[in-house]
Amino acid sequence: MWRAKKLLKKIRRRWSRSMRLRVVATTMLLGLGVVLVVGNFLLMRIRDGLIDSRTETATAEAASLTDEANTVLAATDYPDSTRQESDINDLLAQLQGPEGTDSREVILRRAQRSTQPTELKDRATPGVPLNVIPQTLRDAVNSRGRQQSQITTMPLNGEEVPALAVGTIIDVPLSGDYELYFVFPLERETQILDLVRRTLLPSGLGLVLLVGGVAYVITRQVVTPIRQAAKTAEQLASGRLDMRMKVRGQDDIARLGRAFNGMAAGLERQIHQLEELSRVQRRFVSDVSHELRTPLTTIRMASEVIHESRDELGDPVLRRSAELLQTQLDRFESLLGDLLEISRFDAGAAVLDVESVDVRELAERVVDNLVPLAERKGSTIVLQLSLHPCVAQVDSRRVERVVRNLVGNAIEHGEGRPIEVQVAESTDAVAIAVRDHGVGLSSEELSMVFNRFWRADPARARTTGGTGLGLSISQEDAHLHGGWLQVWGEPGVGAVFRLTLPKQVGALLVGSPLPLVPHLGTDTGSLLMLAPGPEMEGQLEEPGLEAGQL
């Protein structure tokens, strides 16, 4: 049973993956159906033709023999019934014909409509039972009074064979009306039909196999280039941009192959150009960031000297300029750091410094550092922590940077309303969700929120000195861990950013312990999925959360 299921599963897999198998099998099944229908039709036509031909000759022969019997009976004078019995037997033998000719049997039965008393009994040629004649034929002969025929069966050589019975009414002197039947076995016609049937069966199967072979050859001519194109496309997708299809001939498949190769060549050129531009861009960003470090250090030293001596400056404008210079240098230095980090991600040089960390402690540390900023903005931070440890293998520096960025953005756009930070864990993942109740995000803004240097409101005055690269770096940090960074937003309602990380490095995420969309009744706002995997179905909400207001 297990082997049968395994074989059936293998056949199903093969059926679903092979277009050639489906085409050939379908063609052969349809061909088999056509052969069966056409063969059955031809067999029926041949049978009807043989029966019609035999009926025509048999009825003509029976009519001639009936006339002969009537002539003999009319010309004979029977002095008594004993002589009549003998003459009737001789007549039946004469009507049967000499042995070795086409077989026919003769049956004489008293007519059902006859009322004249007689001592002449029903009789038939030896070996033929009287019940060979069906009752329907007898009824037809007696009711219509003329020659009638019907297909029946009769015993022959120990088995039942089809036969044609032809009957009519004759007048027997001294005995009245009798039914005279001639039974013609259809043995020869049956043999012909058997021969035709034995010929049609292998011929039909051979035709089906021939059609299947033709379908295989034709399908192969079409499927082989398609498979080659699919294989070449897979190789192109894997990075082997120099792969091309083999093109032969001038037909439609060849034109498709040349068009495919032209497309591949165009893609290769474009990809090389983009790679070169990306390489130049990364190198430019990296070089500029590094080159700016040296003058920035000098400017920083001079700025610190001026800033420390600002109280000695008599002019208030100069003191304010010294403070602005220090603030903008801090921002400039942060921007350079972010550019260097982006260049590491672009170059693929970013690596994780993994350690087992309780994410709850990390979130508490970030919130403690940002409480003064929240107080200045008029917001409170509500920290909701899981009752269970949320230990995961992460790079604490990078995760702390992500959470600090998310909480800082929530404070900046929270419009002085409470900020909610949730930390939860499941069997294989930990999650941190940051929600604000501020300006929110529209669907257009959600599609650009992780773009570099993008801001929701460029004209908005920022107090945290952001560079516009924070969310881009946060997304790269999440992907570097194999995690998700996702966002939900609704204008005027607020936004939710959720970071989900696997507990083990390299593990595959299948869900998040925290919901992304908050409970808002029927309005669920806009949703942006920034990582593969299920979103709302099958996700776990942490049942035990303790809330504290900082």
Side-chain angles (χ1 to χ4, degrees), residues 429-443:
V430 296
I432 302 174
V434 179
R435 181 187 180 187
D436 65 74
H437 300 269
V439 295
L441 293 167
S442 64
S443 58

Side-chain angles (χ1 to χ4, degrees), residues 478-513:
H479 291 170
L480 194 62
H481 282 83
W484 306 336
L485 181 58
Q486 299 158 300
V487 59
W488 168 92
E490 178 71 11
V493 178
V496 177
F497 284 84
R498 183 184 66 185
L499 173 67
T500 308
L501 302 174
K503 286 187 174 181
Q504 301 292 329
V505 176
L508 181 65
L509 286 178
V510 295
S512 180

Side-chain angles (χ1 to χ4, degrees), residues 31 59 83 141 146 205 257 266 278 292 325 334 347 366 391-392 435 452 461 478 508 541-542:
T59 54
R83 176 68 180 274
V141 170
R146 63 177 183 270
L205 292 179
S278 178
L292 288 177
L325 177 62
S334 176
V366 172
V391 179
R435 181 187 180 187
R452 298 177 183 181
L508 181 65
E541 280 199 58
E542 184 65 32

